[in-house]
Amino acid sequence: MGGTSATTPQTCLTLWQKAFTRDLDWRKDELRDVVFWVIVLFSVSLGSVYGLLGFQGMPCFVSYFAGVVLVPSFYWSSFLGVDDEDFGGKMEVLGDSIGSGAAAFVLSWVGLFSLIH
């Protein structure tokens, strides 16, 4: 019948399996998808903590924006072993994710704060 195709184990991995595996080859769109979800999860988590604890003010925004750059950068450079310069730099990888993450952060922060306090 037909010939067999030689596929590497990497091509059979889903995006989420790749997200938890070190030293794989990444396409730009795959990395940006995973970074988007890392940022959204981080944003909702931090917003929920700030809302539950009743934090208010500019220090929350400053710490969020510092964290939203540092956490994903640490994730892809230390955990995944990806060099962001291969994809056009840090801001190219973060791309549009920061805006969506900021919205998720503010909604979870203000929502929980308003419910509890």
Side-chain angles (χ1 to χ4, degrees):
M1 307 281 217
T4 60
S5 62
T7 59
T8 61
Q10 180 177 335
T11 60
C12 298
L13 294 175
T14 67
L15 188 58
W16 292 112
Q17 289 170 324
K18 280 182 79 169
F20 297 103
T21 308
R22 287 187 56 80
D23 300 324
L24 296 177
D25 292 328
W26 286 85
R27 292 188 334 256
K28 186 176 182 178
D29 61 325
E30 290 177 328
L31 183 61
R32 286 186 69 169
D33 286 346
V34 170
V35 168
F36 172 83
W37 288 109
V38 167
I39 288 174
V40 169
L41 290 173
F42 171 77
S43 300
V44 170
S45 300
L46 190 63
S48 298
V49 168
Y50 285 179
L52 289 171
L53 297 178
F55 290 171
Q56 300 178 35
M58 187 58 79
C60 294
F61 280 112
V62 171
S63 64
Y64 166 73
F65 283 110
V68 83
V69 172
L70 295 175
V71 168
S73 299
F74 178 78
Y75 167 73
W76 77 61
S77 64
S78 297
F79 183 73
L80 293 180
V82 173
D83 183 13
D84 57 15
E85 293 303 320
D86 293 341
F87 297 94
K90 186 176 304 226
M91 293 313 293
E92 182 66 27
V93 175
L94 292 172
D96 301 328
S97 304
I98 292 178
S100 300
F105 168 72
V106 170
L107 285 173
S108 60
W109 176 28
V110 172
L112 279 172
F113 183 88
S114 297
L115 282 172
I116 295 173
H117 303 283

Short mmCIF file of all heavy atoms in Angstrom, two decimals, residues 20 22 34 37 40 53 58 64 85 95 99:
data_model
loop_
_atom_site.label_atom_id
_atom_site.label_comp_id
_atom_site.label_asym_id
_atom_site.label_seq_id
_atom_site.Cartn_x
_atom_site.Cartn_y
_atom_site.Cartn_z
N PHE A 20 5.03 22.23 27.57
CA PHE A 20 5.64 21.69 28.78
C PHE A 20 6.86 20.82 28.49
O PHE A 20 7.26 20.03 29.34
CB PHE A 20 4.58 20.89 29.57
CG PHE A 20 3.46 21.75 30.05
CD1 PHE A 20 2.23 21.73 29.42
CD2 PHE A 20 3.65 22.61 31.12
CE1 PHE A 20 1.19 22.53 29.84
CE2 PHE A 20 2.62 23.42 31.57
CZ PHE A 20 1.39 23.38 30.93
N ARG A 22 10.92 20.86 27.05
CA ARG A 22 12.08 21.70 26.77
C ARG A 22 12.72 21.38 25.43
O ARG A 22 12.61 20.28 24.92
CB ARG A 22 13.16 21.50 27.84
CG ARG A 22 12.87 22.10 29.16
CD ARG A 22 14.05 21.99 30.10
NE ARG A 22 15.27 22.58 29.58
CZ ARG A 22 15.55 23.88 29.60
NH1 ARG A 22 14.68 24.72 30.09
NH2 ARG A 22 16.69 24.33 29.13
N VAL A 34 1.22 30.18 22.74
CA VAL A 34 1.50 29.71 24.10
C VAL A 34 1.78 30.89 25.04
O VAL A 34 1.26 30.93 26.16
CB VAL A 34 2.67 28.70 24.10
CG1 VAL A 34 3.13 28.39 25.50
CG2 VAL A 34 2.25 27.43 23.39
N TRP A 37 -1.44 32.59 26.18
CA TRP A 37 -2.16 31.91 27.25
C TRP A 37 -1.41 31.97 28.57
O TRP A 37 -2.04 32.03 29.64
CB TRP A 37 -2.51 30.48 26.86
CG TRP A 37 -3.60 30.49 25.84
CD1 TRP A 37 -3.50 30.18 24.52
CD2 TRP A 37 -4.95 30.90 26.05
NE1 TRP A 37 -4.70 30.37 23.90
CE2 TRP A 37 -5.62 30.81 24.81
CE3 TRP A 37 -5.67 31.35 27.15
CZ2 TRP A 37 -6.96 31.14 24.66
CZ3 TRP A 37 -7.02 31.67 27.00
CH2 TRP A 37 -7.64 31.56 25.77
N VAL A 40 -2.33 35.42 29.84
CA VAL A 40 -3.72 35.48 30.31
C VAL A 40 -3.87 34.76 31.65
O VAL A 40 -4.50 35.28 32.59
CB VAL A 40 -4.70 34.92 29.26
CG1 VAL A 40 -6.08 34.72 29.83
CG2 VAL A 40 -4.75 35.83 28.05
N LEU A 53 -7.15 40.15 48.15
CA LEU A 53 -6.42 40.79 49.24
C LEU A 53 -6.76 42.27 49.41
O LEU A 53 -6.30 42.91 50.35
CB LEU A 53 -4.91 40.62 49.05
CG LEU A 53 -4.41 39.18 49.08
CD1 LEU A 53 -2.91 39.12 48.82
CD2 LEU A 53 -4.75 38.52 50.40
N MET A 58 -1.76 52.40 42.04
CA MET A 58 -0.75 52.31 40.98
C MET A 58 0.30 51.21 41.21
O MET A 58 0.75 50.60 40.24
CB MET A 58 -0.06 53.67 40.82
CG MET A 58 0.87 53.72 39.64
SD MET A 58 0.08 53.34 38.07
CE MET A 58 -0.73 54.88 37.73
N TYR A 64 2.11 44.52 38.01
CA TYR A 64 1.54 43.68 36.96
C TYR A 64 2.34 43.80 35.67
O TYR A 64 2.71 42.79 35.06
CB TYR A 64 0.08 44.06 36.67
CG TYR A 64 -0.40 43.44 35.39
CD1 TYR A 64 -0.65 42.07 35.32
CD2 TYR A 64 -0.51 44.17 34.22
CE1 TYR A 64 -1.04 41.47 34.12
CE2 TYR A 64 -0.90 43.59 33.03
CZ TYR A 64 -1.16 42.24 33.00
OH TYR A 64 -1.52 41.65 31.82
N GLU A 85 15.49 36.28 20.43
CA GLU A 85 16.07 36.97 19.28
C GLU A 85 15.84 36.19 17.98
O GLU A 85 15.84 36.77 16.90
CB GLU A 85 17.56 37.22 19.49
CG GLU A 85 17.87 38.22 20.60
CD GLU A 85 17.21 39.57 20.37
OE1 GLU A 85 17.17 40.04 19.21
OE2 GLU A 85 16.71 40.15 21.36
N GLY A 95 4.01 40.62 21.70
CA GLY A 95 3.04 41.11 20.74
C GLY A 95 1.77 41.69 21.34
O GLY A 95 1.81 42.54 22.22
N GLY A 99 -1.98 43.52 25.87
CA GLY A 99 -3.26 44.22 25.96
C GLY A 99 -4.39 43.32 26.45
O GLY A 99 -5.18 43.69 27.32
#
